[in-house]
C-alpha cells in the first residue's frame, strides 16, 4: 500500500493522523511523500486503525490522545473524551480568584490539570470514582509535570471536612434511555460517566446538595450540564442556598455551564 492509497481510505484529516501514528512520521512528512510505499508493519497498523474507525471507534481512542485547553492528554475507553465545550468550564473558573479548587469526576484529569497549568500556585484536588480513570488522570499529571492531589471516591466523600474556594465539575448529565447514547463517540465511552438518572440530573443534585458544606465563604460552584437543563440547574442552586445563580453559553450558543456563589 502506498501513502496515497492510505490517505484516500478515510476522511482526510483522520487518515493523516492515523497514518502518522502508524508510521511514526509527522503529518507533514506523510503529505510530502504520497508515493512512498508503506512498510509492512506500518500498513498492518494502519489497516487495523482504519477497520476500527469504520466500526465507529472514536479517533481519540485510536490515537490514545486528545488535546484539551492546550494540553495533550492520554485517553482510553476508561475515560470520557475531553470536548471543546468543557473548556468553557475552565475559562469561567480562571476568572475567579482562588487558592484552592476541587474538581469532581475528573476523568482524564482534563479540567484539574488545565486549572493547575494556569494557576500553578493553587492547590488543586481532583476526585474520581473509577479507579481505571483515576490511573489515566495520574498518568497525565505525571506526563505534564503538574501536581494535582487525586482522591478515589464519589463526589465529596473523599474530601470530608475540607473546604475550597472553588468547586467545578463536568458530571454525568445524560438521561437514561436518551437516543444520543446510541450515536457517535458516546457508544464507546464509559456509561457511568455519561448517564445520571431518568432526567440526567441525579449527579448534579448530589453535587449541588453537598457544595455548601465544602465551599469557603464567597466560594463558587460551576457545573457543566446538557442542552435544556439550565433552568432546572439554576433552580437546584437556589434551593440549596447558593446565591447569584447564572448560566453561560458555549461557543455554539448552548447554555452549557451554570453556577453560583456561597455567601
Amino acid at each position: 500500500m502506498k501513502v496515497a492509497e492510505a490517505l484516500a481510505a478515510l476522511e482526510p484529516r483522520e487518515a493523516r493522523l492515523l497514518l502518522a501514528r502508524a508510521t511514526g512520521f509527522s503529518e507533514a512528512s506523510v503529505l510530502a511523500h504520497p508515493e512512498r510505499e508503506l512498510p509492512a508493519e506500518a500498513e498492518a497498523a494502519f489497516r487495523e486503525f482504519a477497520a476500527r474507525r469504520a466500526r465507529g471507534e472514536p479517533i481519540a481512542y485510536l490515537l490514545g490522545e486528545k488535546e484539551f485547553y492546550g494540553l495533550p492528554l492520554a485517553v482510553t475507553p476508561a475515560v470520557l473524551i475531553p470536548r471543546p465545550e468543557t473548556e468553557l468550564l475552565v475559562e469561567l473558573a480562571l476568572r475567579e480568584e482562588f487558592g484552592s479548587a476541587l474538581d469532581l469526576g475528573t476523568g482524564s484529569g482534563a479540567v484539574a490539570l488545565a486549572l493547575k497549568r494556569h494557576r500553578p500556585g493553587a492547590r488543586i484536588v481532583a476526585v474520581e470514582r473509577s479507579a481505571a480513570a483515576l490511573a489515566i488522570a495520574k498518568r497525565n499529571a505525571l506526563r505534564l509535570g503538574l501536581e494535582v492531589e487525586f482522591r478515589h471516591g464519589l463526589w465529596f466523600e473523599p474530601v470530608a471536612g475540607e473546604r475550597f474556594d472553588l468547586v467545578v465539575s463536568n458530571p454525568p448529565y445524560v438521561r437514561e434511555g436518551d437516543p444520543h447514547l446510541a450515536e457517535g463517540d458516546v457508544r464507546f465511552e464509559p456509561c457511568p460517566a455519561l448517564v445520571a438518572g431518568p432526567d440526567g440530573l441525579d449527579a448534579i443534585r448530589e453535587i449541588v446538595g453537598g457544595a455548601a458544606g465544602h465551599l469557603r465563604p464567597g466560594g463558587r460552584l460551576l457545573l457543566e450540564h446538557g442542552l435544556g437543563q439550565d433552568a432546572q440547574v439554576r433552580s437546584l442552586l437556589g434551593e440549596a442556598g447558593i446565591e447569584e445563580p447564572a448560566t453561560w453559553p458555549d461557543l455554539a450558543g448552548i447554555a452549557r455551564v451554570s453556577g453560583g456563589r456561597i455567601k
Side-chain angles (χ1 to χ4, degrees), residues 174-184 186-188 191 194-195:
V174 180
R175 64 179 176 83
E176 294 171 354
D178 190 306
H180 291 96
L181 292 169
E183 302 173 357
V186 296
R187 293 173 294 162
F188 296 84
C191 189
L194 291 164
V195 178

Side-chain angles (χ1 to χ4, degrees), residues 130-195:
S130 163
L134 200 61
I136 298 298
K138 289 178 179 179
R139 184 199 306 174
N140 281 322
L142 184 63
R143 178 186 183 193
L144 294 167
L146 296 172
E147 188 175 343
V148 169
E149 297 176 37
F150 292 103
R151 310 279 181 87
H152 184 211
L154 182 62
W155 308 135
F156 293 106
E157 290 174 3
V159 292
E162 297 183 56
R163 290 182 181 264
F164 301 85
D165 299 320
L166 176 70
V167 174
V168 297
S169 182
N170 175 20
Y173 53 74
V174 180
R175 64 179 176 83
E176 294 171 354
D178 190 306
H180 291 96
L181 292 169
E183 302 173 357
D185 289 354
V186 296
R187 293 173 294 162
F188 296 84
E189 293 181 283
C191 189
L194 291 164
V195 178

Side-chain angles (χ1 to χ4, degrees), residues 2 52 61 64 67 88 137 145 152 182 190 204 215 259:
K2 293 185 183 297
R52 291 167 64 189
Y61 289 159
E67 184 175 303
L88 174 63
H152 184 211
I204 288 176
L215 280 167

Side-chain angles (χ1 to χ4, degrees):
M1 174 184 274
K2 293 185 183 297
V3 168
E5 295 174 71
L7 289 171
L10 294 170
E11 185 275 329
R13 172 64 173 165
E14 294 182 356
R16 292 198 303 272
L17 288 168
L18 295 175
L19 194 53
R21 178 56 56 91
T23 60
F25 301 143
S26 67
E27 286 186 64
S29 178
V30 164
L31 289 173
H33 301 283
E35 78 291 347
R36 180 184 288 159
E37 196 76 36
L38 290 177
E41 188 175 335
E43 180 179 342
F46 178 78
R47 287 188 185 279
E48 182 183 353
F49 281 147
R52 291 167 64 189
R53 185 61 184 141
R55 293 192 293 269
E57 193 168 339
I59 193 80
Y61 289 159
L62 295 178
L63 295 172
E65 186 173 283
K66 179 71 173 179
E67 184 175 303
F68 177 83
Y69 219 78
L71 300 176
L73 300 174
V75 293
T76 76
V79 298
L80 289 183
I81 299 166
R83 290 171 167 79
E85 55 265 31
T86 302
E87 294 189 352
L88 174 63
L89 187 64
V90 176
E91 290 170 7
L92 292 169
L94 291 175
R95 293 179 190 176
E96 301 293 315
E97 293 298 325
F98 61 88
S100 62
L102 173 64
D103 176 27
L104 295 173
T106 197
S108 64
V111 172
L113 293 168
L115 293 180
K116 187 64 178 180
R117 168 60 60 87
H118 291 273
R119 293 289 177 82
R123 176 188 176 225
I124 309 294
V125 178
V127 170
E128 174 55 54
R129 65 177 172 177
S130 163
L134 200 61
I136 298 298
K138 289 178 179 179
R139 184 199 306 174
N140 281 322
L142 184 63
R143 178 186 183 193
L144 294 167
L146 296 172
E147 188 175 343
V148 169
E149 297 176 37
F150 292 103
R151 310 279 181 87
H152 184 211
L154 182 62
W155 308 135
F156 293 106
E157 290 174 3
V159 292
E162 297 183 56
R163 290 182 181 264
F164 301 85
D165 299 320
L166 176 70
V167 174
V168 297
S169 182
N170 175 20
Y173 53 74
V174 180
R175 64 179 176 83
E176 294 171 354
D178 190 306
H180 291 96
L181 292 169
E183 302 173 357
D185 289 354
V186 296
R187 293 173 294 162
F188 296 84
E189 293 181 283
C191 189
L194 291 164
V195 178
D199 63 357
L201 293 172
D202 282 4
I204 288 176
R205 287 190 185 92
E206 287 191 54
I207 294 169
V208 171
H214 293 276
L215 280 167
R216 294 193 176 105
R220 183 177 286 282
L221 170 66
L222 292 168
L223 296 163
E224 181 173 328
H225 52 71
L227 175 67
Q229 293 178 328
D230 53 298
Q232 292 166 286
V233 174
R234 288 194 303 273
S235 178
L236 290 170
L237 292 168
E239 291 168 10
I242 296 174
E243 301 184 341
E244 306 172 27
T247 297
W248 296 266
D250 61 21
L251 291 175
I254 296 170
R256 181 61 64 186
V257 174
S258 292
R261 196 177 295 278
I262 293 294
K263 185 182 291 186

